Amino acid sequence: VNFIKAITRLLTGDWVTLEESENNDGIFTWDTKTVANGEYELRVIATDDNLLTSTDYISTILINNIVEP
């Protein structure tokens, strides 16, 4: 894999890039406090040197950040 990109969206929203980089090991972090609570879809898109791509759809996840008083 030459290039990898992680994207997310609220179930009814637009796709937003979380992280993208060349020669990534596939480990990404996401500070969920930067998004509203709700159900999100995640995708990881990998591209090789021949520009062939593969997309992995990760199951829907629920973000429920607790607000500190």
Side-chain angles (χ1 to χ4, degrees):
V1 173
N2 185 41
F3 188 82
I4 195 161
K5 178 178 183 177
I7 59 176
T8 189
R9 72 174 177 176
L10 271 168
L11 292 181
T12 59
D14 295 327
W15 288 102
V16 175
T17 301
L18 295 174
E19 187 171 345
E20 59 185 337
S21 62
E22 293 183 27
N23 301 315
N24 186 288
D25 60 5
I27 297 173
F28 295 101
T29 59
W30 179 21
D31 180 2
T32 62
K33 293 177 185 170
T34 63
V35 297
N37 290 338
E39 291 185 84
Y40 285 82
E41 293 180 290
L42 291 174
R43 287 186 187 176
V44 176
I45 304 167
T47 305
D48 68 13
D49 291 331
N50 295 316
L51 302 180
L52 299 173
T53 62
S54 178
T55 302
D56 188 12
Y57 301 91
I58 300 170
S59 62
T60 302
I61 60 168
L62 176 64
I63 301 297
N64 188 17
N65 293 304
I66 298 172
V67 178
E68 297 293 328

